């Protein structure tokens, strides 16, 4: 190898380093870009006599400065933080509704039983009766409204699932296409670093939606698994997800189907905004709706049992009559009792059974219904009856206590989700900083590298100048 060849190799190597450094600097603000480094090595020496003479330098490869372990951690924490953020966003909406003075049951129960006490003070007052009837309707409406809010959240999650499935399909298709492009580029020699950066960026975007497991293949492709090992991307092929309707729930909900058979894998998915929404739906929405149904049933059955207190006469009960002396009927509709369906059964305020049928003092039958307020007082006492709501066998609470426990439970879960989201965000940021410290572009370092390779380029050009001078001297000597 001549002196000119050695100088040329040094010049080309310095030029390659300058190009790589310039590429790093130009992509300092490119999201997902990983710093690149040109690896160089000596060329094969010439053997002349008993001596090996160096033949210069060459760039062997341009590699990404990339930490696979940190990249995996970033994806994991991204999925976990997104899940907690999604769960928290939904949970806060339920917490706000339950604690609202205008929508929550606490205020509705207080106003309703205040109206019952007003009626007990003046059992013949039509105004007091109408107020109690109105407050009963408003209490039922609060149950209906809260169930409607939960249904709206269910519908919002269904919409979010549809959007998430479309995004997952688009991302998985793009990842498969990049796998194909990377395979083709690798076959031509070298490593397509920029294509690999784009693919990693898409995988991170995917982990924002759902937890993924990334398996790198020897040919440069990556396989993406979700759920319990379902292949979302396998080499250059991607699997399509669909939305399926689950009619076993009330109301019917959307789930996620996998493959051509649309196998429901909803319960197997976790992490990401999708996993957070699914967890919220399966826990808070279902739990809150079930608790509201229990409270609605307790209100209806407990209040009706006292209001139509005619069946207890044989057991020493006093019975109940309305303002016209008729036996008391159901105040709330007893059919199919849920928070969504609870309603007041009577429309005439005179039909409210505020009096007992038998006067305990005289033993006389109360024909007019205006003789006393005993049944109204019994209805008012339901507010503090600690046996009205059955939580579990042997565990009972009052209506206000039952609702307070529900509110406290949702508030606690919301606070836990907020704390967990903050923790996951801190872990994600720390891991991203560590990843950037390895593979991120530092302008100060790159500027120093630029000066170093510029000087190397200038020195290599001097080798060529010296070589040219020697060659000219030889020509002139001849």
């Amino acid at each position: 190898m001549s002196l000119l060849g050695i100088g040329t190799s040094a010049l080309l190597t310095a030029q390659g380093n300058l190009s790589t450094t310039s590429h790093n600097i130009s992509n300092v603000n490119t999201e997902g870009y990983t710093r690149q480094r040109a690896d160089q090595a000596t060329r094969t020496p010439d053997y002349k006599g008993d001596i090996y003479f160096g033949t210069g330098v060459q760039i062997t490869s341009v590699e990404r400065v990339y930490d696979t372990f940190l990249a995996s951690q970033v994806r994991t924490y991204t999925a976990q933080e997104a899940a907690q953020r999604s769960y928290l966003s939904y949970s806060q909406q339920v917490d706000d509704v339950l604690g609202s003075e205008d929508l929550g049951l606490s205020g509705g129960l207080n106003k309703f039983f205040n109206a019952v006490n007003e009626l007990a003070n003046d059992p013949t007052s039509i105004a007091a009766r109408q107020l109690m009837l109105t407050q009963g309707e408003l209490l039922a409406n609060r149950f209906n409204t809260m169930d409607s809010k939960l249904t709206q959240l269910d519908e919002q999650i269904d919409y979010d699932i549809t959007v998430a499935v479309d995004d997952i399909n688009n991302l998985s298709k793009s990842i498969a296409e990049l796998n194909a492009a990377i395979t083709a580029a690798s076959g031509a020699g070298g490593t397509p670093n920029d294509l690999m950066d784009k693919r990693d960026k898409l995988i991170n975007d995917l982990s924002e939606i759902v937890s993924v497991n990334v398996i790198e293949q020897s040919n440069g492709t990556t396989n993406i698994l979700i759920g319990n090992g379902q292949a979302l991307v396998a080499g250059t092929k991607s699997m399509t997800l669909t939305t399926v309707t689950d009619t076993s729930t009330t109301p019917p909900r959307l789930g996620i189907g996998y493959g051509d058979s649309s196998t429901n894998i909803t319960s197997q998915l976790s992490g990401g905004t999708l996993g957070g929404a699914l967890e919220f739906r399966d826990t808070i929405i279902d739990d809150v709706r079930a608790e509201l149904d229990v409270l609605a049933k307790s209100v209806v059955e407990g209040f009706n049992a006292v209001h139509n207190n005619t069946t207890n006469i044989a057991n020493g009960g006093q019975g109940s009559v309305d303002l016209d002396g008729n036996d008391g009927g159901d105040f709330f509709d007893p059919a199919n009792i849920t928070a969504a369906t609870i309603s007041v059964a009577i429309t005439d305020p005179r039909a409210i059974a505020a009096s007992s049928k038998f006067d305990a003092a005289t033993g006389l039958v109360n024909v007019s219904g205006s003789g006393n307020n005993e049944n109204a007082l019994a209805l008012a006492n339901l507010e503090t009856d600690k046996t009205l709501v059955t939580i579990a066998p042997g565990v009972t609470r009052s209506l206000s206590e039952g609702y307070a426990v529900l509110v406290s439970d949702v508030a606690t879960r919301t606070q836990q989700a907020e704390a967990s989201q903050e923790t996951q965000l801190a872990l994600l940021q720390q891991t991203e900083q560590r990843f950037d410290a390895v593979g991120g572009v530092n302008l100060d370092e790159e500027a120093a590298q630029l000066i170093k390779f510029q000087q190397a380029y200038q020195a290599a050009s001097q080798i060529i100048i010296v070589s040219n001078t020697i060659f000219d001297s030889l020509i002139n000597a001849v």
Side-chain angles (χ1 to χ4, degrees):
M1 175 65 69
S2 65
L3 185 61
L4 180 61
I6 294 175
T8 302
S9 71
L11 195 68
L12 292 175
T13 300
Q15 185 179 19
N17 279 300
L18 284 170
S19 297
T20 303
T21 303
S22 300
H23 186 56
N24 289 338
I25 293 173
S26 62
N27 284 281
V28 63
N29 295 317
T30 301
E31 187 177 1
Y33 177 79
T34 305
R35 179 167 60 93
Q36 297 179 14
R37 178 186 63 206
D39 294 331
Q40 62 186 52
T42 57
R43 301 176 70 175
T44 303
D46 286 339
Y47 183 69
K48 296 180 180 180
D50 295 331
I51 301 173
Y52 284 97
F53 287 93
T55 58
V57 66
Q58 63 181 355
I59 293 179
T60 56
S61 65
V62 178
E63 304 290 343
R64 294 189 302 166
V65 183
Y66 187 81
D67 191 311
T68 303
F69 175 73
L70 290 177
S72 176
Q73 281 196 317
V74 168
R75 287 192 294 266
T76 299
Y77 290 135
T78 295
Q80 293 175 355
E81 190 277 331
Q84 292 300 322
R85 176 163 29 91
S86 175
Y87 185 96
L88 175 62
S89 175
Y90 286 116
S91 180
Q92 286 174 332
Q93 296 181 57
V94 177
D95 190 33
D96 291 342
V97 171
L98 292 178
S100 170
E101 180 64 28
D102 297 328
L103 298 177
L105 290 183
S106 182
L109 289 170
N110 288 336
K111 291 179 180 179
F112 176 61
F113 281 105
N114 285 341
V116 176
N117 280 291
E118 288 292 331
L119 179 60
N121 293 333
D122 190 358
T124 61
S125 170
I126 297 298
R129 288 170 173 268
Q130 183 61 56
L131 177 62
M132 175 180 164
L133 186 60
T134 300
Q135 290 299 333
E137 292 172 345
L138 291 176
L139 176 61
N141 286 339
R142 291 202 183 207
F143 274 105
N144 302 155
T145 300
M146 295 184 71
D147 187 87
S148 176
K149 291 291 184 181
L150 296 178
T151 300
Q152 290 175 11
L153 283 174
D154 250 334
E155 294 172 349
Q156 177 63 43
I157 292 175
D158 282 349
Y159 173 78
D160 291 343
I161 288 175
T162 302
V163 173
V165 166
D166 288 340
D167 289 343
I168 290 173
N169 287 336
N170 291 332
L171 288 169
S172 60
K173 181 180 178 181
S174 297
I175 292 171
E177 291 173 350
L178 281 171
N179 274 342
I182 289 170
T183 301
S186 298
T191 304
N193 298 314
D194 294 329
L195 291 179
M196 297 176 74
D197 282 342
K198 290 180 181 179
R199 184 180 62 187
D200 287 342
K201 172 64 170 58
L202 294 181
I203 295 175
N204 284 341
D205 292 342
L206 186 60
S207 65
E208 178 86 11
I209 304 174
V210 66
S211 289
V212 297
N213 186 19
V214 179
I215 302 176
E216 297 183 0
Q217 303 299 304
S218 58
N219 61 356
T221 63
T222 57
N223 292 346
I224 310 296
L225 308 181
I226 59 173
N228 289 343
Q230 289 83 4
L232 185 64
V233 177
T236 59
K237 296 181 179 180
S238 62
M239 186 63 70
T240 301
L241 300 183
T242 57
T243 56
V244 294
T245 301
D246 186 357
T247 57
S248 65
T249 61
T250 304
R253 291 168 166 170
L254 285 186
I256 296 92
Y258 174 81
D260 297 335
S261 60
S262 294
T263 303
N264 194 332
I265 61 170
T266 308
S267 61
Q268 302 174 25
L269 300 178
S270 63
T273 54
L274 178 60
L278 293 175
E279 182 183 0
F280 166 80
R281 187 176 70 177
D282 294 340
T283 55
I284 288 189
I285 285 187
D286 287 349
D287 290 352
V288 170
R289 179 173 275 125
E291 291 294 332
L292 288 176
D293 287 346
V294 169
L295 289 174
K297 188 175 182 179
S298 299
V299 168
V300 172
E301 293 181 346
F303 206 81
N304 284 351
V306 176
H307 191 266
N308 60 15
N309 190 15
T310 57
T311 59
N312 294 328
I313 296 176
N315 297 323
Q318 299 302 313
S320 62
V321 292
D322 62 15
L323 194 57
D324 297 321
N326 301 316
D327 289 341
D330 289 325
F331 184 85
F332 292 100
D333 187 348
N336 189 26
I337 308 166
T338 66
T341 60
I342 182 175
S343 62
V344 175
I346 62 177
T347 57
D348 185 359
R350 299 181 64 87
I352 297 176
S355 301
S356 61
K357 188 171 185 178
F358 293 92
D359 192 308
T362 65
L364 299 177
V365 176
N366 180 13
V367 178
S368 67
S370 59
N372 57 63
N373 64 351
E374 291 179 0
N375 208 55
L377 289 173
L379 291 171
N381 288 335
L382 292 175
E383 182 178 14
T384 56
D385 187 347
K386 295 184 178 296
T387 65
L388 199 60
V389 182
T390 301
I391 304 301
V395 180
T396 60
R397 296 189 180 101
S398 67
L399 288 171
S400 58
E401 288 174 342
Y403 185 68
V405 170
L406 173 60
V407 174
S408 176
D409 180 55
V410 173
T412 300
R413 294 190 189 189
T414 302
Q415 292 173 354
Q416 290 174 342
E418 184 175 8
S420 180
Q421 189 271 333
E422 292 175 352
T423 300
Q424 294 298 333
L425 179 60
L427 290 172
L428 174 60
Q429 291 174 339
Q430 291 175 3
T431 307
E432 286 178 334
Q433 290 175 357
R434 291 168 58 195
F435 180 80
D436 290 340
V438 174
V441 177
N442 185 306
L443 287 178
D444 292 336
E445 292 181 0
E446 297 301 321
Q449 291 288 89
L450 200 62
I451 294 173
K452 182 179 73 173
F453 295 131
Q454 179 186 11
Q455 293 174 344
Y457 188 90
Q458 292 171 344
S461 65
Q462 290 298 318
I463 297 175
I464 295 176
I465 292 174
V466 170
S467 174
N468 186 57
T469 301
I470 294 173
F471 183 76
D472 287 342
S473 298
L474 290 174
I475 293 298
N476 292 331
V478 172

